[in-house]
């Protein structure tokens, strides 16, 4: 294990190394390992190349230390190139540098020595991760940096060893979320949650890996969950890849992005009962066998109110997704905005009568954001300009799809799954591809195509009305 630190932090690093050595590890520390006459740089490079783990002590001193920053860069490179586990350790309430922000780090700022009650537990957790042992019993998953930056991971997202039920919850709901994950494990189901992240994990790569291959996504819904950007991104990531969702309503209203999804009601604060656990076991069996998931039809309509997202806040979220080049997330949010404006979030589709309730101010705001981000290549008005005029009632939907690049020709089929559909939007994407107005929540319905075509044609009719007024 390679331990990197600034010269001013040598005493603290020595204490950490001694504690880790007491757990049976072999840390490389310059003060311990470089003999008189050796070239420190060459020995450090050799040790780093031979190490499978690396700890970078990030402190105010290290950010001013050129050698420490070079070592941090080398650790980050080794992590990407050969899978070295790179664990940033914070000391002295220092801001996390961008290169470390996308990894699970641990903060020792308030546990800076053996005299602090939390110090031994944090060291034991690091030692367990490095040694490949289970985390110490009774430990609490650290929330240190689950609200860090959201960079797109550069490496391909590969399948985990075992697909799982992925439990998503806001930090404020951590007690219930951890208890729920434990209950599902005790029921014999494979489970993964952010509480399973360990120091050195590339957190958003790992979360995406789990979500893209999840058996189902269990979302604990609450006001805090609704306001969490992390939870929103997890929901959208799962929807883009066609995952099955099982929301659990803990408090408040149904999540904005899950308005049409069947959910379990836990507003009494209780965990799942045996009937609900049996439902998840049947879901597990269906998913493993590739069969359609069977959910009770009688409770498919939410039994609680749905969160209403004010247009200004929703447009700000749309701006953020586009700024991060998250086209699919922005696309799904656009569909939600239109459906909510028409009072059709739960139903998930529009007719021309419903589309008449969609405000032109909202359409103008949505169009302006898509147009600005794509330099005029995409957006609602751009789509309208590309679509043939058709007869008195406008073009056929097949002609719309061909004009916008949603299908090769008017006779060609459209990819059935949303993730396959948007995969066509690569670097050479055609103008007008986004927004699509597709809703992955309804892809399991046999009439999904009819609902989608009705929604697109209805909104285009509303847009022609807008153009006529302009």
């Amino acid at each position: 294990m390679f331990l990197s630190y600034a010269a001013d932090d040598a005493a603290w690093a020595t204490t950490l190394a001694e504690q880790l050595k007491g757990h049976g590890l072999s840390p490389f520390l310059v003060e311990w390992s470089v003999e008189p006459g050796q070239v420190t740089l060459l020995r450090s490079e050799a040790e780093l190349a031979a190490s499978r783990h690396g700890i970078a002590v990030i402190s105010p001193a290290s950010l001013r230390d050129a050698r420490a920053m070079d070592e941090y860069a080398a650790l980050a490179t080794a992590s990407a190139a050969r899978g070295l586990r790179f664990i940033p350790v914070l000391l002295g309430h220092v801001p996390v540098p961008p290169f470390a922000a996308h990894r699970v780090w641990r903060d020792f700022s308030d546990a800076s020595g053996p005299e602090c009650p939390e110090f031994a537990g944090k060291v034991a957790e690091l030692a367990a991760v490095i040694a490949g042992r289970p985390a110490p019993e009774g430990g609490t998953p650290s929330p240190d940096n689950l609200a860090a930056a959201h960079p797109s991971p550069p490496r391909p997202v590969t399948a985990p060893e075992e697909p799982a039920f992925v439990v998503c919850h806001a930090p404020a709901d951590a007690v219930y979320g951890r208890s729920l994950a434990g209950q599902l494990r005790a029921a014999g189901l494979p489970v993964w949650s952010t509480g399973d992240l360990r120091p050195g994990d590339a957190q958003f790569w790992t979360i995406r890996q789990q979500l893209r291959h999840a058996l189902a996504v269990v979302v604990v819904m609450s006001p805090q969950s609704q306001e969490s950007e992390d939870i929103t991104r997890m929901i959208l990531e799962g929807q883009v890849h066609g995952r099955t969702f099982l929301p659990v309503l803990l408090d408040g209203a149904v999540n904005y992005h899950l308005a049409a999804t069947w959910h379990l009601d836990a507003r009494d604060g209780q965990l799942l009962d045996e009937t609900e656990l049996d439902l998840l076991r049947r879901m597990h069996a269906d998913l493993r066998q590739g069969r359609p998931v069977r959910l009770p039809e009688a409770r498919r309509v939410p039994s609680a109110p749905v969160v209403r997202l004010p247009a200004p806040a929703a447009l700000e979220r749309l701006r953020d997704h586009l700024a991060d080049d998250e086209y699919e997330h922005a696309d799904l949010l656009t569909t939600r905005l239109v459906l909510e404006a028409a009072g059709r979030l739960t139903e998930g589709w529009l007719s021309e009568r419903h589309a008449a309730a969609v405000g032109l101010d909202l359409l103008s705001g949505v169009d302006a954001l898509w147009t600005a981000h794509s330099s005029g290549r995409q957006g609602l008005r751009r789509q309208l300009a590309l679509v043939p005029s058709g007869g008195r009632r406008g073009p056929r939907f097949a002609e719309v799809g061909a004009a916008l690049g949603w299908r090769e020709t008017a006779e060609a089929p459209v990819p059935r799954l949303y993730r396959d559909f948007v995969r066509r939007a690569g670097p050479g994407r055609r103008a007008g591809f986004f927004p699509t107005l597709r809703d992955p929540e309804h892809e399991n319905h046999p009439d999904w195509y009819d609902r989608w075509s009705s929604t697109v044609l209805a909104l285009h009719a509303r847009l022609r009305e807008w153009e006529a007024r302009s």
Side-chain angles (χ1 to χ4, degrees):
M1 183 198 69
F2 190 91
L3 184 56
S4 177
Y5 53 92
D8 288 351
D9 296 322
W12 190 87
T14 299
T15 299
L16 177 63
E18 290 171 344
Q19 295 283 325
L20 292 172
K21 193 173 180 180
H23 285 276
L25 304 181
S26 301
F28 169 79
L29 199 70
V30 170
E31 277 75 6
W32 291 353
S33 307
V34 178
E35 298 176 359
Q38 285 187 314
V39 179
T40 301
L41 178 60
L42 295 179
R43 177 65 189 276
S44 294
E45 288 180 346
E47 291 291 341
L48 195 153
S51 295
R52 291 183 298 152
H53 303 82
I55 288 179
V57 179
I58 301 173
S59 70
S62 72
L63 299 180
R64 301 187 301 267
D65 189 307
R67 180 189 62 79
M69 294 309 292
D70 285 345
E71 288 180 353
Y72 296 169
L75 287 169
T77 300
S79 176
R82 59 182 178 85
L84 173 140
R85 179 174 287 274
F86 173 31
I87 306 174
V89 166
L90 306 189
L91 185 66
H93 299 285
V94 66
V96 184
F99 69 80
H102 72 289
R103 298 204 165 268
V104 177
W105 38 261
R106 284 298 179 257
D107 194 346
F108 278 74
S109 296
D110 294 320
S112 56
E115 70 281 357
C116 300
E118 296 180 1
F119 183 80
K122 285 180 176 282
V123 172
E125 182 193 19
L126 290 180
V129 169
I130 294 166
R133 299 191 296 262
E137 289 293 330
T140 300
S142 173
D144 283 348
N145 65 323
L146 295 185
H150 301 266
S152 296
R155 53 178 168 161
V157 177
T158 56
E161 292 184 6
E162 180 183 23
F165 284 83
V166 177
V167 178
C168 304
H169 58 81
D173 303 322
V175 172
Y176 184 88
R178 289 197 294 267
S179 297
L180 178 61
Q183 183 189 35
L184 300 187
R185 287 192 182 97
L189 300 171
V191 177
W192 187 90
S193 74
T194 52
D196 296 312
L197 286 170
R198 306 192 71 186
D201 284 347
Q203 77 238 42
F204 288 102
W205 184 89
T206 305
I207 291 170
R208 281 180 167 169
Q209 176 193 48
Q210 293 292 337
L211 287 169
R212 290 188 185 185
H213 299 278
L215 293 172
V217 183
V218 181
V219 180
V220 178
M221 297 187 295
S222 69
Q224 295 82 5
S225 170
Q226 177 67 52
E227 293 300 317
S228 169
E229 290 188 15
D230 288 342
I231 299 300
T232 298
R233 288 172 187 267
M234 291 178 191
I235 293 171
L236 292 173
E237 185 73 17
Q239 289 181 336
V240 165
H241 293 279
R243 299 301 93 192
T244 297
F245 278 81
L246 186 68
V248 177
L249 182 59
L250 181 62
D251 186 25
V254 172
N255 188 286
Y256 184 76
H257 289 283
L258 299 170
T261 304
W262 185 92
H263 70 265
L264 294 169
D265 195 337
R267 283 175 289 180
D268 58 2
Q270 299 298 308
L271 294 175
L272 308 189
D273 60 30
E274 195 57 37
T275 300
E276 292 165 338
L277 288 174
D278 282 342
L279 169 65
L280 267 66
R281 293 188 185 100
R282 291 197 302 272
M283 283 181 62
H284 185 210
D286 288 341
L287 290 162
R288 288 179 63 87
Q289 297 299 319
R291 299 190 297 260
V293 174
R294 296 164 290 174
L295 292 175
E297 294 290 337
R299 291 187 59 189
R300 199 172 282 280
V301 177
S303 59
V306 176
V307 168
R308 314 304 296 184
L309 190 61
L315 290 174
E316 191 59 37
R317 286 191 182 183
L318 179 59
R319 186 193 314 277
D320 290 343
H321 288 315
L322 289 171
D324 290 339
D325 288 330
E326 294 176 333
Y327 278 92
E328 294 92 343
H329 293 187
D331 187 40
L332 298 181
L333 178 57
T334 297
T335 302
R336 300 289 191 280
L337 282 172
V338 170
L339 292 173
E340 181 183 34
R344 300 282 292 175
L345 260 180
T346 301
E347 292 76 14
W349 64 279
L350 301 177
S351 67
E352 284 193 32
R353 176 173 61 86
H354 304 131
V358 180
L360 299 183
D361 287 345
L362 173 66
L363 295 180
S364 176
V366 168
D367 181 61
L369 291 173
W370 279 102
T371 300
H373 186 73
S374 65
S375 300
R377 297 192 310 273
Q378 296 167 346
L380 298 172
R381 283 188 168 180
R382 178 60 177 162
Q383 288 188 14
L384 202 61
L386 293 171
V387 170
S389 58
R392 183 175 64 86
R393 295 190 59 80
R396 296 184 304 116
F397 182 61
E399 295 167 347
V400 173
L404 299 182
W406 293 346
R407 56 188 358 132
E408 295 298 333
T409 67
E411 291 72 34
V414 176
R416 175 71 173 80
L417 297 177
Y418 179 80
R419 67 176 182 272
D420 297 329
F421 176 67
V422 297
R423 206 168 279 155
R424 294 162 55 90
R429 66 173 67 87
R430 294 180 60 173
F433 189 96
F434 288 114
T436 69
L437 300 176
R438 279 189 65 161
D439 186 359
E441 274 196 281
H442 293 93
E443 284 183 343
N444 291 327
H445 288 262
D447 60 348
W448 71 274
Y449 181 86
D450 294 332
R451 293 183 179 201
W452 177 41
S453 60
S454 176
T455 299
V456 172
L457 294 177
L459 191 67
H460 279 207
R462 181 64 167 152
L463 291 171
R464 286 194 295 273
E465 181 182 334
W466 177 23
E467 291 278 82
R469 291 190 184 186
S470 301

